[in-house]
Every structure is written in structure tokens, then in C-alpha cells.
Amino acid sequence: MAAAEVRVEPVDFEAWVTEKADALLRFAYVLTGDSNLAEDAVQDALTTACARWGRVSRADDPEAYVKRMVVNAHISWWRRFRRREAPVDDPVRTARAVPDGTAQRAEADAIWDLCATLPDKQRAAVVLRFYEELS
């Protein structure tokens, strides 16, 4: 072997994770703002990295490669779950502030029930006068 040729031994995945796990968790916590989400993102990234460790370990900077996987894992989580959420300020206050329309529907149903008892011409006159606002 020539002196200029340097052979780099592949890094063992378990040894690499032991060395980098704390840094990855700190990075993920800063990214997500939540320790549980951070742990999930790191776990997803490391699962993927383990399956592709041959390629990941040959990268110029395996730590940056895995950090990008953490970011991608968090983005995937966000896309799956955040879009489904519709947060409100205060559900109790919102429920009081916005009527659900039950009373109005009950009143409208009662009016239609009464209209149904009218003869056809009277029912037509009521509909034209009150619902169509005609004279």
C-alpha cells in the first residue's frame, strides 16, 4: 500500500450511536420543542440509518446525514398529524359563543310540520310570502 493511500475502517453502527445519541437527541429536541417527539424522530432516523448504514457510514459526515434523517422524520410526523389538528382557544368559551343551531333547526322543522298540514294553496302562499319574500 502506498503512503498517500489511507484506508478508513467502517464505523460500527452501535459504537457510532453510543457516541452520537445524546447530540442527536439535543438536536431533535431543539427542532421539535418536545422531548417525546424528539425521541420518536431520533428513533425513526436511527432505524432508517441502521438499515442503510453501509451508505450512511461512507458519507462525508454521517452525523449530518442522520440529522437530516431526523429532520425528515419530524416533517413526516408533522404532515401526518398536524394537518388533522384544529386547535381552538377555549372549547368551553367557543361552545357558548357559537350556537350549534339545534334550536333554530327544531323551530324550522316545527314550522315545516305546520305548513305540511295546510292545504296546497295556503302552503304555497305562506312559502311565497315568508320564504321567498314576495307580496
Side-chain angles (χ1 to χ4, degrees), residues 42-60:
V42 169
Q43 182 177 9
D44 287 350
L46 290 177
T47 301
T48 304
C50 181
R52 301 177 186 166
W53 188 243
R55 182 173 29 156
V56 173
S57 65
R58 288 189 307 269
D60 290 337

Side-chain angles (χ1 to χ4, degrees), residues 18-124:
T18 302
E19 181 183 334
K20 302 294 183 179
D22 290 338
L24 289 171
L25 280 171
R26 282 191 302 273
F27 171 75
Y29 179 76
V30 170
L31 175 69
T32 64
D34 181 274
S35 60
N36 292 326
L37 291 177
E39 290 173 359
D40 289 346
V42 169
Q43 182 177 9
D44 287 350
L46 290 177
T47 301
T48 304
C50 181
R52 301 177 186 166
W53 188 243
R55 182 173 29 156
V56 173
S57 65
R58 288 189 307 269
D60 290 337
D61 187 357
E63 185 174 0
Y65 195 104
V66 175
K67 282 183 178 179
R68 183 63 199 173
M69 291 175 149
V70 169
V71 171
N72 291 343
H74 179 62
I75 289 170
S76 294
W77 175 87
W78 184 84
R79 285 180 179 157
R80 279 192 313 266
F81 298 105
R82 289 286 186 180
R83 288 184 180 174
R84 295 179 191 160
E85 293 180 3
V88 294
D89 292 336
D90 181 8
V92 174
R93 197 170 352 129
T94 303
R96 283 188 226 133
V98 180
D100 65 357
T102 304
Q104 290 84 0
R105 281 191 294 277
E107 183 179 342
D109 288 346
I111 291 171
W112 280 115
D113 288 343
L114 287 174
C115 283
T117 63
L118 295 173
D120 290 343
K121 288 184 179 181
Q122 286 181 345
R123 186 172 53 247

Side-chain angles (χ1 to χ4, degrees), residues 111-112 115-116 118-135:
I111 291 171
W112 280 115
C115 283
L118 295 173
D120 290 343
K121 288 184 179 181
Q122 286 181 345
R123 186 172 53 247
V126 169
V127 168
L128 290 173
R129 174 67 182 109
F130 293 102
Y131 287 98
E132 297 296 323
E133 296 180 1
L134 298 174
S135 59

